Amino acid sequence: MRKLIFATQKLDPDDPVLAATVPMVRALAARVDELVVLCDSAVPAAVPANARVGEFGARTQAERGARFTAALARELRPRPIGVVAHMVPLYAVRARSLSEARGSPLRSRAS
């Protein structure tokens, strides 16, 4: 099974800044068996059929970072084909050590 993890801030087609993330997620989902979207928050209608969302929203950045790290660690088993960190350098930094230690390549996208 081809599983990909996509980390982003929000999955919301009505968000004035991040709405473009929704078509990206749909395009990625069309190319893998399972897409796991780790994000602060998501609109359920925006989630493709073969995707699932792990929300890690919290009041503070430190708490969000800890929740993201825990969620990513859970999703790295079984090993995915990769991890995509979208828009937030902190996701890439946190994901790098976890994903590479488990043999999953990390890709970062700034826009």
Side-chain angles (χ1 to χ4, degrees):
M1 176 187 309
R2 294 170 29 106
K3 172 182 163 181
L4 179 67
I5 300 171
F6 184 82
T8 190
Q9 293 170 297
K10 187 184 288 190
L11 192 61
D12 182 351
D14 295 324
D15 186 274
V17 176
L18 297 169
T21 305
V22 174
M24 280 189 256
V25 165
R26 289 185 180 140
L28 286 171
R31 291 169 172 79
V32 296
D33 298 315
E34 179 183 15
L35 181 67
V36 177
V37 180
L38 299 178
C39 59
D40 191 50
S41 64
V43 172
V47 181
N50 66 327
R52 54 189 174 80
V53 172
E55 292 180 305
F56 54 85
R59 291 183 301 172
T60 67
Q61 184 179 16
E63 191 177 357
R64 276 191 302 277
R67 287 182 178 187
F68 167 72
T69 302
L72 178 60
R74 283 189 302 271
E75 294 299 340
L76 289 172
R77 297 279 188 239
R79 190 175 105 180
I81 60 171
V83 178
V84 178
H86 176 254
M87 294 293 291
V88 180
L90 177 64
Y91 298 161
V93 170
R94 295 242 180 194
R96 183 178 181 120
S97 60
L98 280 175
S99 63
E100 289 182 354
R102 290 171 171 84
S104 297
L106 173 71
R107 300 291 175 252
S108 181
R109 179 173 165 91
S111 61

